[in-house]
Amino acid sequence: VATLSFDEARSCVLKAVSAHAGEPRVETVSLLDAAGRVLAEPVRADRDYPPTARSVRDGFAVRAADAPHNLRVIGEARAGAGFDSEVGPGEAIEIMTGAPVPRGADAIVMVEHVVRDGDRISTDKPVRAGDFINAQGVEARAGDIVVDRGWRLDYAKIAELATVGCTCPRVYARPRVAILSTGDEVVSIDQTPREFQVRNSNAYALAVQVARAGGIPEILPVARDNYDSTRELIERGLTADLLLLSGGVSAGKYDIVERVLADLDAEFYFDRVRIQPGQPLVFGRARERFFFGLPGNPASTMVCFELFARAALDLLSGCAAAPLPLLHARLTEPFRHRPGLTRFLPAMVDDHGGITPVRWAGSSDVPSMARANAFLVTEEQRESWDTGDWIRALLK
Ligand code: AMP
Ligand code: MG
């Protein structure tokens, strides 16, 4: 079909899925259950924020025009209570962070900047109107959209919904994602594998990845490396919103996934990407569903999900694809690779922006993947990096 670079393949997935993703079903959930879900309708501010001018410091509410300031303290305004009287010329009111600014006052002097003597305060700091006051409505005006349709609800967005009193948000239904492992060598994880067998770890990695990305994982029975078994289970998988296959897409004699999909009139967008791990990655659409044929080696399956399938899942969830968590880090040791592929190799990123590759025995090395907290990302064309050089890192 087609061999693409990493960037081309990612763009291809984004474009294809965007073109076909419809609007998911809407449901109402409690606020805490909405964490990680995608908001289905805009939520607006129920009043101005702040609803009235507020002090952002502990100190004294004053009139800026009174400078130089030597003032009489006539009372106290605290968070959780209003204050009725007005600050007149030559007067100040003691005020706590978050309390409404009393009428008459137009600035706050920090408590650290005054000298107090009985009911008198003085300051030698300049005071300008507006100092340490959040004016009414600076954060949001009543009726403004504060959390929009299509936003995935992280902790700050949940906090904003809580702020405006949205107790039961309307969110999109989570997409169902079928997970289909293939291979005569694959046994269930409660079995003791013979030396030519492996436990079905890919189904578990993918289930966790799907759930983390906001989908509902549905693990299907393992497809055997024959046409009928593979076809029956692929047809079942294509009734979900997205199908993830593991294995059976390399060039081996028993890699029959592509043949089965072709017989189902699948449209293939690409079947090879210049990345490692994960070169024989397949992406396509059949029976109005997208599918990824992820190479069976565990590192390939995990990496390809994060690079491509996660973005598809975002789009099917009703939100824009989140950007990859890519950043730059400095190598703590020299690094080289054979150019030609964008590689995603297990690595450790530290608190100081350093990155260290983790010893890796290749795409089947799950212990190495388990130790890593990131992937070091090579460029296709560059061959070597020195200690201290910047290189891209993809956070896990
Ligand atoms: P394949 O892509 O089908 O050629 O599979 C490549 C290798 O990945 C196999 O030889 C297995 O060792 C491993 N593998 C395939 N499927 C799984 C699975 N579901 N869980 C863990 N490892 C797998
Ligand atoms: Mg196989």
Side-chain angles (χ1 to χ4, degrees), residues 213-266:
I216 302 174
E218 296 178 0
I219 299 179
L220 298 181
V222 177
R224 295 302 152 201
D225 286 327
N226 65 66
Y227 189 91
D228 292 339
S229 166
T230 305
R231 175 151 180 157
E232 185 202 321
L233 286 160
I234 285 183
E235 289 194 62
R236 223 169 110 181
L238 288 171
T239 64
D241 297 308
L242 177 67
L243 169 61
L244 301 178
L245 292 126
S246 125
V249 291
S250 311
K253 191 168 155 195
Y254 296 99
D255 292 326
I256 49 181
V257 164
E258 274 181 277
R259 184 149 59 90
V260 169
L261 285 161
D263 288 351
L264 292 168
D265 291 327

Side-chain angles (χ1 to χ4, degrees), residues 31 37 53-54 60 80-81 119 141 202 216 286 295 301 305 374 381:
L31 186 55
R37 305 289 298 268
R54 264 195 201 155
F60 294 86
D119 68 347
R141 288 279 175 199
N202 285 351
I216 302 174
T301 307
F305 179 91
Q381 297 315 328

Side-chain angles (χ1 to χ4, degrees), residues 54-64 69 71 73 92-98 101 106-116 120-128 130-133:
R54 264 195 201 155
S55 174
V56 296
R57 290 286 186 281
D58 292 326
F60 294 86
V62 304
R63 294 169 174 254
H69 290 79
L71 308 168
V73 180
I93 284 180
E94 189 168 10
I95 193 164
M96 318 300 152
T97 301
V101 177
D106 61 1
I108 308 298
V109 183
M110 284 166 64
V111 67
E112 295 85 346
H113 292 165
V114 304
V115 176
R116 186 167 189 165
R120 312 253 357 143
I121 57 160
S122 58
T123 181
D124 49 11
K125 295 270 182 215
V127 179
R128 284 171 313 250
D131 279 359
F132 302 118
I133 290 176

